[in-house]
Amino acid sequence: SKAFVRFGLDVSSEFDIRIYDLRGRKLLTVLRDIYKPGYYNIVIDGSSLVSGIYLVQLSSGDRKSLKKLILVK
């Protein structure tokens, strides 16, 4: 199963995407890299996860965003 995340940055910064279960346990780090300003589309490979509801945390510097991901296999 795959999920797609789109994000934009207005300045160059380190950016990471992490997947958590609903209890707040980190399950995996999808990516961690330095990105230039712009818009990006990232594919999350959910093959190592079971069907369920997850939290996707997008982090750049001191900015964080949390999204819900429903994975169905």
Side-chain angles (χ1 to χ4, degrees):
S1 297
K2 295 180 183 177
F4 301 90
V5 174
R6 179 175 166 84
F7 65 92
L9 297 173
D10 37 345
V11 296
S12 291
S13 68
E14 185 174 10
F15 187 84
D16 64 54
I17 298 176
R18 297 176 184 179
I19 307 291
Y20 293 87
D21 66 13
L22 292 179
R23 294 182 181 171
R25 294 178 296 200
K26 184 175 84 167
L27 302 176
L28 73 116
T29 298
V30 176
L31 68 83
R32 184 177 193 144
D33 208 346
I34 296 175
Y35 284 85
K36 295 180 180 180
Y39 290 94
Y40 298 89
N41 291 302
I42 302 295
V43 177
I44 297 175
D45 178 9
S47 62
S48 65
L49 303 171
V50 297
S51 294
I53 300 173
Y54 298 92
L55 300 174
V56 180
Q57 180 182 30
L58 310 163
S59 301
S60 173
D62 61 350
R63 297 175 67 188
K64 294 184 180 178
S65 175
L66 199 61
K67 306 290 181 190
K68 181 169 59 172
L69 170 66
I70 300 173
L71 184 63
V72 179
K73 292 188 173 187

